[in-house]
Amino acid sequence: MKSRLFLLLTALLVIATPDHAADFRKMSAHVRGVLIRQEVQPLASRSTGTARHACRRLTAFVRIDPAKADEVWREYDCRCYSQMGDIAIVSIPIDRLGQLSDHPSVRRIEASPSGRADMDTTAIVVSADRLAALTTHLPSPTSFSGRGIVVGIMDVGFDLTHPNFYDSTATRYRIGAFWDQLSKDTIGSTLPVGRDYVGHDVVLAQQHSTDGLIQTHGTHTLGIAAGSGYDSHYRGIAYDADICLVNNAVSDDIELIDSADIDKYTTAVDALGFKYIFDYADRQGKPCVASFSEGYSPMLDEEDSLFSNFLDRITGPGRIIVASAGNECITGTYFEKPKGQQVAGAFIRSGNNSASYRLKADGPLWLSLYAYTEGSTPTHTLRFTSATFQQDSLLTDTLLIGADTCAVTIERYPSTFGSDTIYSICLDANKSLASLPPLAVVTEGTESRLELYGSSSNGLANNDIDTRWNAAEKTHNIHAPACFPSVICVGATAHRLGFTNYRGEYKDYSGGRTAGQWSPYSSVGPTISGSLKPDVVAPGDNIISSYSSYYIENNPDANDINSDVRHFEFQNRTYAWNANTGTSMATPVVAGVIALWLQAKPDLTTAEVLEVLGRTCRHPEEGIAYPNSKYGYGEIDAYHGLLDILGVDAVKGISTHTPKSLHISYNGGQLLLHTDAALHAPVRIKFHTTGGILISKTSITPEASCDAPLTYPLSSIHLKPGIYIVQIDTADSESCGSQVLVIQ
């Protein structure tokens, strides 16, 4: 075995930056990697490459002295797309990146690759129940519908023509703006990637996002948050909301991106996507909730500090971001070696040829890689120590296992915000890591606390072949940006455990699930910075919603089409209702509920949402304390939360749940009581103000031959415009409850 040591602040950087050394201490890992790739590219290929490849750019966050920013941007040919105090989102020529980092006014440059959609690997379908039945106590449709609120969705794979995105009559189109970050039509665009389309007719004319032929995820999540349920009972939560969309890029979109542009698609562009949604809402004069069913394994948080800070600054009253926790609990993702303990380790679990891990140490590091080809004793060993190489350096070596090889590359750099040292560990084998003999990664030394982080694709496992290395845990796997303080982080619960697809085939997906409780794939905390997440959970299994007609048309043999519940025709195209499972599906449920809450309190803040969740969430499991790292505050209760915001949930005599089969409507100046089941006892109805004051009451006595459904006029009650709380009581306890009623 032969080791090679590369000090990153030496000759390689001088090639492109003869007048300035790059300051790697100011760069996040991804930014360093971009610069390293630029510097090691052979000079000959750079000199003969196309002009397009010669002027490659990186979109990144830059922390800078605001007084010097404009001057620095001009000097280094940077394009600034947003500046929030001392944090800017900037397009940087990669061949000027090293010089920019060395400028005294520049304090930090960060970016991470875009993430992936947070849906389960297998699409699962519910039966014919409406989505509302899978949530807990949603307000009745006559009360709150999302009207006057902007629901923003940043996702991939939008079918812009789906009737779910009109109103319920399919006459009023509701998508008002759309930024397609993958669009090739960039002439005249002022955005760092793609272009935007503003106005209902202009958006509809685009038909689908650039990736709409290979992706459909966004069509589904948008339908959950804000679909009208056209000609069906698959209605979303805020079904009458205004809609703004951003089609960003995920790892599966790589084939649609020119290799010269790949470094433009980073978390900095995702941050601009959130800002685009909020800016649209500002122009409309409306509150907004933005939903993001994507994520990535955070870079030990320190690497994402500017992304987190930027979101802190664009959120506020009436501006809320909701993001998915991730689906990372399918394998081990973490282990810890406490200070004072000699050793701890776990086995590598990955089906890929390559895998990467992050390790944080507060002192000296001894790291070994063990291969087991015969029995319980390691037969091949590769060992590293922190004394071997300095900060800001790379060390590479190769573990030889018979005819197989596993190259190991370790990058060492200081944590920007503490005294810890960060190690980036990359494994690259000649074949799938899963097909190699068992490989254990082991940390040693009583002097240090060491934490190693993986992900579902770069996993960890315990193995009976050597039980000493059984420290793998399914924890610390919350995705970014959901792990950030200003983002509502959503996990998933399971309610539907099986389904019948459109072919009449029943599928049982009950394995490992308990109805009403945590879904076993849903990521759990704490975050890698120690914060308690998720904040809330919502139904995520078997959620039915709209699916892209363009995806179906172009992928007729795709596996997930087997999950379709129903196909139907609209304007000479075939559309579908389909379902998926994942925290991707739970997230727009919460976003839609928050849109309803914003109707009641347009200046609602993230902190206030968390307070409402703490007071009103349902606790799926008894005997555990809430909040916790599995459920957060619990499962969202939309109706109880609405009553809490209106200030009436504690009023004596008013229920915090809705009736099962009775509701009041106001139509044409008349109040009506509707019943879905036969009435066999009198119904008592009381009308309260939002201050809890009783202002009117009446009762209905059914006729002996009463059959459902029936509608009873309440002609004796006359209400002025406003919001009222109606308490309904009868002998059937399930038909008792309260309802919010809006009179306009």
Side-chain angles (χ1 to χ4, degrees), residues 15-26:
I15 295 173
T17 58
D19 299 321
H20 297 272
D23 190 342
F24 272 45
R25 294 168 299 179
K26 295 181 181 178

Side-chain angles (χ1 to χ4, degrees), residues 183-257:
S183 174
K184 305 299 183 184
D185 179 21
T186 59
I187 297 176
S189 174
T190 59
L191 298 163
V193 292
R195 73 169 308 110
D196 71 327
Y197 307 90
V198 179
H200 298 101
D201 293 340
V202 175
V203 173
L204 185 57
Q206 304 311 308
Q207 299 186 322
H208 60 81
S209 58
T210 298
D211 60 2
L213 304 182
I214 62 172
Q215 304 273 13
T216 184
H217 190 256
T219 305
H220 195 273
T221 58
L222 173 57
I224 295 170
S228 67
Y230 166 77
D231 194 30
S232 77
H233 48 274
Y234 306 130
R235 186 168 65 189
I237 308 295
Y239 57 87
D240 206 20
D242 192 1
I243 299 169
C244 178
L245 303 179
V246 174
N247 191 82
N248 70 332
V250 294
S251 53
D252 291 341
D253 284 326
I254 190 73
E255 65 188 75
L256 302 176
I257 302 173

Side-chain angles (χ1 to χ4, degrees), residues 248-309:
N248 70 332
V250 294
S251 53
D252 291 341
D253 284 326
I254 190 73
E255 65 188 75
L256 302 176
I257 302 173
D258 189 308
S259 61
D261 293 331
I262 196 70
D263 291 315
K264 294 179 181 179
Y265 292 90
T266 66
T267 50
V269 171
D270 289 343
L272 287 176
F274 289 122
K275 186 176 184 296
Y276 179 88
I277 291 169
F278 289 150
D279 287 348
Y280 171 80
D282 283 342
R283 294 196 300 272
Q284 306 305 308
K286 296 176 180 178
C288 179
V289 57
S291 182
F292 190 58
S293 290
E294 299 174 17
Y296 62 95
S297 298
M299 313 296 273
L300 294 183
D301 281 3
E302 292 92 343
E303 299 295 295
D304 299 305
S305 64
L306 298 189
F307 190 8
S308 180
N309 291 163

Side-chain angles (χ1 to χ4, degrees), residues 406-527:
C406 181
V408 183
T409 302
I410 301 180
E411 179 184 357
R412 176 184 179 182
Y413 53 94
S415 171
T416 305
F417 299 97
S419 59
D420 293 335
T421 298
I422 308 301
Y423 297 86
S424 176
I425 304 167
C426 297
L427 309 181
D428 191 3
N430 64 314
K431 59 185 180 182
S432 164
L433 287 162
S435 63
L436 292 176
L439 294 176
V441 57
V442 177
T443 58
E444 303 175 47
T446 59
E447 300 176 48
S448 307
R449 179 179 184 236
L450 306 169
E451 297 174 275
L452 190 137
Y453 303 87
S455 66
S456 58
S457 55
N458 301 305
L460 299 167
N462 300 322
N463 193 320
D464 289 340
I465 197 169
D466 194 336
T467 56
R468 292 177 298 170
W469 322 132
N470 61 354
E473 301 177 16
K474 296 180 180 180
T475 63
H476 296 74
N477 50 32
I478 298 289
H479 270 172
C483 64
F484 299 158
S486 58
V487 177
I488 304 292
C489 175
V490 184
T493 48
H495 286 259
R496 296 291 179 181
L497 306 182
F499 66 90
T500 301
N501 68 13
Y502 77 109
R503 295 191 178 100
E505 302 164 338
Y506 181 76
K507 306 293 182 181
D508 183 355
Y509 285 90
S510 60
R513 289 167 166 80
T514 300
Q517 295 188 7
W518 172 77
S519 294
Y521 56 81
S522 183
S523 290
V524 300
T527 68

Side-chain angles (χ1 to χ4, degrees), residues 498-727:
F499 66 90
T500 301
N501 68 13
Y502 77 109
R503 295 191 178 100
E505 302 164 338
Y506 181 76
K507 306 293 182 181
D508 183 355
Y509 285 90
S510 60
R513 289 167 166 80
T514 300
Q517 295 188 7
W518 172 77
S519 294
Y521 56 81
S522 183
S523 290
V524 300
T527 68
I528 57 180
S529 63
S531 300
L532 186 64
K533 292 273 185 171
D535 297 306
V536 64
V537 293
D541 284 38
N542 309 338
I543 305 299
I544 192 166
S545 183
S546 39
Y547 228 46
S548 170
S549 65
Y550 295 95
Y551 177 84
I552 294 170
E553 183 178 75
N554 285 274
N555 304 273
D557 299 321
N559 246 353
D560 45 1
I561 293 175
N562 294 324
S563 299
D564 290 353
V565 170
R566 175 184 154 199
H567 292 168
F568 65 96
E569 299 296 315
F570 177 73
Q571 296 183 354
N572 300 316
R573 287 193 63 80
T574 299
Y575 294 87
W577 302 106
N578 177 289
N580 274 309
T581 284
T583 55
S584 276
M585 285 66 245
T587 299
V589 171
V590 172
V593 169
I594 290 174
L596 305 185
W597 292 353
L598 283 167
Q599 276 189 271
K601 190 177 189 302
D603 61 350
L604 196 65
T605 66
T606 299
E608 289 172 333
V609 168
L610 294 173
E611 291 171 0
V612 173
L613 295 173
R615 292 190 293 264
T616 65
C617 276
R618 184 180 73 86
H619 294 167
E621 290 187 44
E622 297 180 357
I624 58 176
Y626 291 83
N628 58 60
S629 293
K630 187 175 178 182
Y631 290 101
Y633 287 106
E635 186 173 61
I636 195 165
D637 187 327
Y639 186 67
H640 192 179
L642 179 62
L643 294 184
D644 180 89
I645 290 169
L646 293 172
V648 296
D649 67 313
V651 175
K652 186 177 181 179
I654 294 179
S655 303
T656 57
H657 60 272
T658 55
K660 181 177 181 180
S661 58
L662 299 173
H663 73 274
I664 305 286
S665 72
Y666 180 74
N667 188 19
Q670 187 174 34
L671 283 167
L672 303 169
L673 171 68
H674 305 272
T675 173
D676 298 328
L679 295 178
H680 301 290
V683 178
R684 299 176 299 280
I685 306 167
K686 298 178 182 179
F687 294 83
H688 300 258
T689 67
T690 54
I693 300 173
L694 177 65
I695 58 172
S696 186
K697 60 182 178 180
T698 189
S699 62
I700 296 292
T701 301
E703 300 176 3
S705 60
C706 169
D707 292 321
L710 281 179
T711 299
Y712 294 88
L714 305 178
S715 55
S716 62
I717 304 297
H718 301 281
L719 301 175
K720 297 178 181 179
I723 300 176
Y724 299 89
I725 311 300
V726 184
Q727 178 64 34

